[in-house]
Amino acid sequence: MLEQRYRWKNKDLREHVEVLDGSKAPTILLHNAVYLNQYLRKWTKANIWIYDDRIVYVGEKYPDDVEGCEVINCEGRFLVPGYIEPHAHPFQLYNPLTLSQYTSKYGTTTLLNDNLMLFLQLDKKKAFSLLKELRTIPATMYWWCRFDGQTELLDEELIFTHGEVKAWLEHDAVLQGGELTGWPRLLDGDDMMLHWIQETKRMRKKIEGHFPGASEKTLAKLMLFGADCDHEAMSGEEVMNRLMQGYTVALRHSSIRPDLPKLLKEIQELGINQFDKFFYTTDGSPPSFHEEGYTDQLIKIAIDSGVPVIDAYNMATINIARYYNMEYLHGNIATGRVANINFLSNEKNPTPVSVLAKGQWVKREGECLPSKTTINWKDFQLEPLELEWDIDAARDFEFSMPFGIEMVNDVILKPYSVVTDVSFDELSYKDDQCFFVMIDRGGKWRINTIIKGFANKLSGFCSSFSNTGDIVMIGKSKKDMVLAFNRMKELGGGIVLAENGKISYEMELPLNGIMSTKSVETLIKEELELKTLLEQKGYRFNDPIYTLLFFSATHLPYIRVTQLGIYDVMNKTVLFPSIMR
């Protein structure tokens, strides 16, 4: 379990010292390097010796032996540590490997990842085997441990057991517990969740909050329970409230909350000019949000917002490393650290022209080098869906509930009364009401209702991408909804649109119906095409991927569609239970 954070054996450490003694040559020498020294808070000139994946020396000395060493003259370049994403959800159509390959090109070479999909989709042994496999890639992957499924699950107590959660917490690649989407349960007396928090703190690991709209008093209570950080501040005042209670604050800039410019402006107006307790996150945005880059874009926003340049870089590097107690490995360019280094054209342009990740070139003078890493996903139970059931339209498409769900924005749902007759096989295209069906992936239960506000011209739509992996169908035409479902089933999982008896769009998601094996660049094109088609069908919001993900997410108000049924979040009650098929 210690291989992730303590990866050099005694033999390796002896070799590193031999490089300094001159009996071995470095593998890479960065000569005349101007780099960001965060301890001095200044740009400093030095020679940087790298041996395999580790920086073995930073200073004025030149190696005695450079035979076989790649010597790089860094004149005209500015070097900064590889960027760190502290709050990644690596299952937003992309998978952990393809996400890391993409982010590394933009300088983000370390990611702390949500484990929710692994927790729900894989058994522990397979999940931990995948974590071990991901240690071999150039990027560095760390993880969180969830304490709840951010929805109402059937048999949740059999999924989030003490043994399962504790095993994840004990894994050395796991650096924190959370995010605490189920914090209302904690406040209401959930002692098991509190015990897991205490176990996390006993292991000297962090607790990540998820506290949108929390009052000052609530923030104080959650700090007393053990929370360390929160990424849900949506204004400068909310940032200040968190700082006052002792939180580290992750400043979010995501597809549904692109708040960073506003947050930076407002915190500076409040007189906050110390940035040591801040870092950035993109909060698991879908592929198209990252079309121009990743963490580098957030650093650029900070610089353009008047944040001192060194602080702008620190919020993506050393601040995060110090928070997670891994400064000895990441977040700075110094002896002993992992050789994650970004080469910049100038100090105010954080998009790197070259990138080293674990001492390997992933980008060189603007050219992205092809990745040699592959994963046999079947070895980890990540395979195409095999649904052993079919849709029976006469039985599965009964819509008699006088109660529907209405979209307020991308992710917020509210209840509404269904007053029109929806007993037909096709709904009118004159309004924005559609049939909505969620069916258990195993075919055991279903929920039927009407959704208002999703689209007004959508004939048939089916997605296996959802928070729980259950199947979502939406549309005006039952016939085209069945057609979309059947095509999704043939694909082994995916997102499919059907119209007038024909398939008009499909996105294949062969990894348990949740993730693609395609590159993020390809997924950006596919997602943008999906968004365009849905907008033509009347989808008036910005992020259909998050809409699909959060239909069942009970950490958001007001009404959710969960495995238990239509759920009232505020009152914590099931309004209409799911129906057994």
Side-chain angles (χ1 to χ4, degrees):
M1 289 297 185
L2 297 179
E3 295 176 46
Q4 174 73 22
R5 293 168 70 189
Y6 307 93
R7 48 214 235 176
W8 298 292
K9 298 178 181 178
N10 287 356
K11 176 179 178 293
D12 300 320
L13 297 174
R14 297 291 183 190
E15 287 183 346
H16 298 167
V17 173
E18 288 174 9
V19 175
L20 279 179
D21 286 339
S23 57
K24 279 184 177 291
T27 50
I28 297 176
L29 171 64
L30 304 179
H31 182 47
N32 291 327
V34 175
Y35 76 101
L36 178 56
N37 185 313
Q38 283 124 327
Y39 301 123
L40 300 176
R41 284 188 63 85
K42 62 188 290 188
W43 299 93
T44 306
K45 192 169 185 178
N47 293 319
I48 301 170
W49 307 8
I50 296 170
Y51 186 77
D52 291 338
D53 60 352
R54 196 181 194 196
I55 300 171
V56 298
Y57 173 78
V58 179
E60 296 180 357
K61 295 184 183 301
Y62 197 90
D64 295 331
D65 180 6
V66 293
E67 183 178 354
C69 172
E70 182 181 9
V71 180
I72 310 295
N73 187 344
C74 296
E75 190 172 345
R77 295 288 183 242
F78 294 81
L79 277 59
V80 296
Y83 309 139
I84 304 171
E85 167 56 80
H87 192 98
H89 298 271
F91 313 105
Q92 309 291 56
L93 304 181
Y94 41 68
N95 64 64
L97 175 63
T98 53
L99 175 64
S100 70
Q101 290 170 336
Y102 186 78
T103 66
S104 294
K105 297 173 184 178
Y106 293 97
T108 302
T109 49
T110 301
L111 299 101
L112 277 81
N113 297 303
D114 184 5
N115 79 326
L116 181 60
M117 290 300 179
L118 300 185
F119 205 111
L120 295 179
Q121 300 287 328
L122 306 184
D123 66 57
K124 180 176 59 185
K125 183 177 180 181
K126 291 296 184 182
F128 289 174
S129 295
L130 177 58
L131 267 57
K132 183 176 181 180
E133 180 76 11
L134 288 168
R135 287 203 297 263
T136 65
I137 69 176
T140 303
M141 308 290 272
Y142 295 107
W143 297 84
W144 334 332
C145 173
R146 289 275 193 159
F147 298 156
D148 67 275
Q150 71 179 28
T151 186
E152 296 299 304
L153 296 169
L154 290 170
D155 301 321
E156 180 175 1
E157 67 280 1
L158 301 180
I159 300 171
F160 286 88
T161 66
H162 178 63
E164 291 290 311
V165 171
K166 193 167 184 291
W168 273 92
L169 287 175
E170 290 174 342
H171 196 289
D172 202 63
V174 173
L175 301 189
Q176 70 178 10
E179 56 183 301
L180 295 182
T181 53
W183 61 269
R185 287 165 42 184
L186 177 65
L187 293 180
D188 287 343
D190 187 331
D191 280 340
M192 181 56 74
M193 186 176 291
L194 183 56
H195 176 69
W196 291 334
I197 291 173
Q198 296 224 41
E199 282 292 287
T200 308
K201 307 296 280 190
R202 182 181 64 81
M203 298 175 195
R204 304 293 190 268
K205 299 183 180 185
K206 300 295 185 179
I207 294 293
E208 172 70 13
H210 178 98
F211 310 142
S215 67
E216 184 181 43
K217 184 176 181 180
T218 295
L219 290 170
K221 289 179 180 179
L222 292 164
M223 175 60 70
L224 292 174
F225 280 134
D228 294 294
C229 179
D230 183 61
H231 59 280
E232 289 290 337
M234 291 178 272
S235 68
E237 181 182 1
E238 291 189 347
V239 170
M240 179 67 85
N241 286 342
R242 284 157 174 77
L243 291 176
M244 290 295 291
Q245 299 307 319
Y247 285 85
T248 296
V249 181
L251 303 175
R252 178 173 52 189
H253 193 71
S254 70
S255 56
I256 54 175
R257 296 296 322 185
D259 292 339
L260 187 58
K262 175 178 182 286
L263 291 172
L264 291 171
K265 176 177 181 291
E266 292 182 2
I267 63 177
Q268 290 179 93
E269 288 174 349
L270 288 169
I272 299 171
N273 55 18
Q274 294 292 321
F275 298 91
D276 293 349
K277 292 298 181 181
F278 295 128
F279 40 76
Y280 315 107
T281 179
T282 61
D283 198 10
S285 297
S288 65
F289 184 73
H290 302 301
E291 190 170 12
E292 301 299 321
Y294 204 71
T295 304
D296 57 310
Q297 298 301 302
L298 279 56
I299 301 170
K300 186 67 166 63
I301 290 171
I303 293 172
D304 292 345
S305 298
V307 174
V309 171
I310 290 176
D311 286 310
Y313 285 105
N314 286 355
M315 288 192 283
T317 55
I318 192 70
N319 290 7
I320 304 169
R322 284 176 175 160
Y323 172 80
Y324 285 106
N325 302 315
M326 58 182 186
E327 182 183 350
Y328 65 99
L329 287 178
H330 302 291
N332 59 106
I333 296 174
T335 299
R337 276 54 173 187
V338 178
N340 295 335
I341 301 175
N342 295 333
F343 299 70
L344 313 180
S345 59
N346 67 75
E347 63 267 48
K348 292 187 177 181
N349 182 3
T351 302
V353 294
S354 300
V355 178
L356 279 173
K358 293 180 184 172
Q360 301 176 46
W361 294 105
V362 296
K363 187 178 184 181
R364 191 80 180 268
E365 292 301 314
E367 180 182 353
C368 296
L369 305 181
S371 174
K372 300 177 182 178
T373 306
T374 59
I375 290 179
N376 186 354
W377 296 104
K378 290 184 179 180
D379 290 345
F380 307 101
Q381 296 178 339
L382 289 165
E383 303 181 71
L385 284 183
E386 293 186 6
L387 303 182
E388 298 178 352
W389 51 274
D390 295 304
I391 293 293
D392 181 339
R395 182 188 64 183
D396 290 324
F397 285 175
E398 295 178 348
F399 295 88
S400 56
M401 188 186 299
F403 176 94
I405 54 177
E406 181 176 2
M407 293 186 63
V408 176
N409 59 29
D410 298 78
V411 297
I412 302 298
L413 303 172
K414 69 178 184 181
Y416 88 104
S417 297
V418 179
V419 296
T420 56
D421 187 354
V422 294
S423 61
F424 305 104
D425 288 339
E426 188 170 295
L427 295 178
S428 170
Y429 284 74
K430 294 180 180 179
D431 58 42
D432 60 356
Q433 294 185 117
C434 290
F435 299 120
F436 180 101
V437 182
M438 181 181 285
I439 299 187
D440 169 42
R441 173 176 294 208
K444 297 177 181 179
W445 52 262
R446 62 177 170 84
I447 301 165
N448 300 50
T449 188
I450 301 296
I451 185 168
K452 180 176 173 59
F454 185 85
N456 60 1
K457 300 175 184 176
L458 182 64
S459 187
F461 175 93
C462 182
S463 172
S464 60
F465 177 84
S466 66
N467 184 52
T468 54
D470 297 311
I471 312 301
V472 173
M473 288 179 281
I474 303 172
K476 296 280 190 180
S477 165
K478 295 179 180 179
K479 181 179 178 181
D480 281 336
M481 290 167 67
V482 173
L483 179 63
F485 170 84
N486 288 337
R487 181 54 183 159
M488 180 279 298
K489 183 178 176 180
E490 290 174 1
L491 291 173
I495 300 174
V496 177
L497 273 71
E499 187 171 8
N500 298 324
K502 296 181 180 179
I503 302 300
S504 56
Y505 172 89
E506 59 185 46
M507 177 191 291
E508 189 175 2
L509 300 175
L511 303 184
N512 280 32
I514 303 293
M515 296 172 284
S516 175
T517 55
K518 296 179 182 177
S519 69
V520 172
E521 291 88 343
T522 300
L523 285 174
I524 288 170
K525 296 176 183 177
E526 292 189 3
E527 185 202 346
L528 289 173
E529 182 184 358
L530 173 63
K531 289 172 70 172
T532 298
L533 289 172
L534 287 176
E535 286 168 3
Q536 293 171 358
K537 302 301 180 185
Y539 181 84
R540 64 184 192 276
F541 306 111
N542 182 59
D543 198 334
I545 300 305
Y546 255 108
T547 296
L548 290 170
L549 188 70
F550 280 171
F551 274 133
S552 61
T554 52
H555 63 290
L556 295 167
Y558 296 92
I559 300 297
R560 299 286 128 183
V561 187
T562 75
Q563 293 184 356
L564 298 185
I566 305 288
Y567 187 78
D568 182 337
V569 175
M570 309 305 286
N571 294 309
K572 301 179 180 62
T573 57
V574 176
L575 301 176
F576 296 94
S578 53
I579 299 170
M580 300 307 292
R581 297 179 72 235

